[in-house]
Amino acid sequence: MSPRQQHHPATARHSVLAGMQLPRQRGGNREPPVRDSAAEGEASTQTGGSDLAASPLVSPIDEFRLIPRPRLINRALPRWVTAFRASERAKNIASDVVAVVLAVLDVWLVIPEEAPGYSLWLSGAAVAAMVMRRHVPFLAVLVTVPGFLTGWSQLAAMLALGTLAKRRGWGWQLVVSSILVFCCYFIIWPLEEFVIMTWREHALDVIWGVIVAGMPVAIGLLITARKELSERITDLANSREREKALYAETVRAAERTKLAREMHDVVSHQVTLIAMQAGALQVASNDQESKETATTIRRLSTRTLEELRSLVGVLRSEDSEKQQPGLAELGDLVRNFRSEAVPVALDVKAVPSRLPRSVSHAVYRTVQEALTNIRKHAAGARASVKVMAQHDTLVVEVRNGRAGARQPTLPSGGHGLIGLRERAGLLGGTFQAGPTSEGGFRVSATYPLAG
């Protein structure tokens, strides 16, 4: 063998392969070791059968029993590791640095001392191509081909080919690049040495050429498939969450429609009868006080029907929050309740011009429920409504004094104050209700202005 052929990269690869010892026996062809029966008999005679007593029988099931894996202790990663994993630019720079270092080591560790100068320059160009493999992977493969064919930059060509498969996927560029890398391994430079090789050496080069060109392609396509699968799983999870939200909204809409229908059929019918009876009493009665009472009952019944229709419309509507009354309608609410039986004073201070709709509606319902309780349980008592902003909260307070003459007890479900407490809790506020030292009653609620 000529000195030039000894220092050629392909010849060196054949030398390394020739020195490798492949396993000559498969697992299924392995023969058990032959024991000397005489020696075994002598050993068992000396030990007196202690071997049989000391070594228990082991079944195949016990031999392959799974050992539980120890639990890994979750430790907090250092801050720089977390920042590195979150930065895409830092990972790209680290990838380029690792690729350049590996390509340099691949050339430096195997290149001989008498290597021709052009192979050194072409190998160096292939190493430098690792910097541009992420941006122009096909061009990077083309730059590494001369260095791989005439020099020693095999790993650089494989890295560039793997990057091309990862970023571009199947296409004519990947096919051409794979063929070029295969040819670089199969063809021995110079061509005179390639011609004189035996068919066995050519067959071995074909096998290893397919591995060298196919392995980076398979790894790159596998990484791309894994990324696409992860994205599809994420999209599937998001679509399931959207489906759950839509289903929940459909169920809520059906419940609102059912509740609106029940309220319209039952409550509206009863209130309409009350209004009709009050109108008949107003016409038939000759007493002026009875007529005024009937007129008041009819007016309140009509207003209740209007609010009931509004509430039914809210329940049937998809955008129900925009149709609910708020702080702007608080003056009308107090004027409707204000009368000789329930004198109400309204005081609104330092309230922001724009409030969250949920907070504004909660204020309205708090005042409405408190004034309703005053009319039912403390008719004739003076009441005051205060709404003021303190720091980042909105405070609502409704007070009433001692009730006058005892009035007939009206039916009460006892759920009004409970509903106000739940509403305040859902909005992140507080609610208090209880008697005062003067013999009256106080209802106070706070709601965060952040909504």
Side-chain angles (χ1 to χ4, degrees):
M1 184 180 295
S2 62
R4 182 178 184 182
Q5 187 176 359
Q6 291 179 357
H7 296 297
H8 193 270
T11 308
R13 287 200 300 269
H14 288 301
S15 301
V16 174
L17 292 175
M20 296 174 60
Q21 295 182 359
L22 300 178
R24 301 184 179 275
Q25 292 183 351
R26 301 286 182 180
N29 298 330
R30 181 177 298 175
E31 297 180 359
V34 180
R35 294 186 178 182
D36 190 358
S37 59
E40 289 183 359
E42 183 179 358
S44 61
T45 303
Q46 293 177 358
T47 57
S50 60
D51 290 341
L52 295 177
S55 60
L57 296 177
V58 179
S59 63
I61 300 178
D62 295 334
E63 185 178 356
F64 293 96
R65 182 174 297 170
L66 296 177
I67 301 176
R69 300 171 66 181
R71 291 187 176 180
L72 298 178
I73 301 177
N74 295 328
R75 297 180 179 178
L77 295 176
R79 184 175 301 176
W80 67 270
V81 176
T82 306
F84 174 78
R85 296 177 62 181
S87 175
E88 192 69 23
R89 182 180 180 183
K91 291 190 290 186
N92 292 334
I93 294 176
S95 174
D96 292 340
V97 171
V98 171
V100 171
V101 171
L102 292 178
V104 169
L105 291 177
D106 180 56
V107 174
W108 177 63
L109 293 177
V110 298
I111 194 168
E113 296 180 358
E114 296 88 2
Y118 65 88
S119 63
L120 293 176
W121 286 103
L122 294 176
S123 299
V127 171
M130 295 296 94
V131 179
M132 62 180 183
R133 64 186 177 86
R134 290 186 298 105
H135 308 285
V136 280
F138 181 64
L139 180 60
V141 174
L142 296 181
V143 173
T144 59
V145 164
F148 186 15
L149 179 63
T150 63
W152 307 84
S153 57
Q154 174 179 340
L155 188 57
M158 295 177 66
L159 291 175
L161 183 60
T163 305
L164 177 63
K166 175 184 175 183
R167 293 187 172 270
R168 300 293 172 81
W170 278 112
W172 68 270
Q173 294 182 352
L174 183 61
V175 174
V176 172
S177 300
S178 302
I179 294 175
L180 290 176
V181 173
F182 169 79
C183 293
C184 289
Y185 191 93
F186 177 72
I187 299 175
I188 303 299
W189 187 267
L191 296 178
E192 293 81 4
E193 299 177 2
F194 174 71
V195 173
I196 63 176
M197 293 175 61
T198 64
W199 70 271
R200 293 179 181 272
E201 293 174 338
H202 285 307
L204 186 62
D205 284 345
V206 168
I207 295 174
W208 283 102
V210 171
I211 295 176
V212 169
M215 183 174 62
V217 172
I219 294 176
L221 294 179
L222 180 61
I223 295 175
T224 302
R226 181 181 180 275
K227 182 179 179 181
E228 292 178 355
L229 181 60
S230 177
E231 293 176 354
R232 291 184 180 181
I233 291 176
T234 303
D235 294 340
L236 181 60
N238 295 335
S239 63
R240 287 184 177 179
E241 292 296 330
R242 289 192 296 268
E243 289 178 0
K244 289 181 180 179
L246 291 176
Y247 178 74
E249 183 63 27
T250 303
V251 172
R252 286 195 296 267
E255 292 294 331
R256 288 199 302 265
T257 303
K258 181 180 178 181
L259 181 60
R261 184 171 58 251
E262 294 295 332
M263 292 180 61
H264 182 271
D265 294 342
V266 179
V267 182
S268 178
H269 176 69
Q270 299 294 335
V271 176
T272 302
L273 291 179
I274 294 174
M276 293 175 60
Q277 294 294 332
L281 179 62
Q282 181 182 1
V283 175
S285 177
N286 296 325
D287 187 6
Q288 185 65 27
E289 185 177 356
S290 299
K291 285 186 177 183
E292 293 179 356
T293 303
T295 302
T296 303
I297 295 175
R298 181 176 176 82
R299 185 177 70 251
L300 294 177
S301 301
T302 304
R303 188 178 302 118
T304 303
L305 279 175
E306 293 176 354
E307 291 189 1
L308 180 61
R309 292 191 185 97
S310 176
L311 181 58
V312 169
V314 166
L315 292 175
R316 291 182 182 273
S317 175
E318 296 181 357
D319 194 7
S320 58
E321 191 172 344
K322 293 183 178 180
Q323 302 180 13
Q324 295 175 351
L327 189 62
E329 293 80 11
L330 194 60
D332 297 335
L333 176 65
V334 172
R335 282 191 295 271
N336 293 332
F337 272 93
R338 186 184 290 125
S339 63
E340 295 181 358
V342 183
V344 182
L346 177 62
D347 185 12
V348 179
K349 294 181 180 179
V351 176
S353 57
R354 300 185 62 181
L355 287 177
R357 191 64 188 175
S358 57
V359 173
S360 180
H361 178 64
V363 171
Y364 182 90
R365 291 305 182 192
T366 302
V367 176
Q368 184 185 41
E369 180 64 25
L371 294 180
T372 302
N373 290 337
I374 293 173
R375 172 173 286 179
K376 290 196 303 184
H377 306 292
R382 300 185 63 86
S384 63
V385 178
K386 293 183 180 180
V387 181
M388 64 187 72
Q390 293 182 354
H391 302 291
D392 56 347
T393 60
L394 191 66
V395 180
V396 183
E397 184 179 84
V398 181
R399 285 176 174 266
N400 66 277
R402 187 186 300 273
R406 185 174 183 81
Q407 300 292 331
T409 303
L410 297 178
S412 175
H415 301 289
L417 298 180
I418 296 177
L420 294 180
R421 189 182 303 276
E422 292 176 351
R423 186 189 298 272
L426 290 175
L427 295 177
T430 60
F431 179 82
Q432 295 178 353
T436 61
S437 58
E438 294 84 6
F441 201 83
R442 172 180 173 270
V443 174
S444 176
T446 61
Y447 300 100
L449 292 177

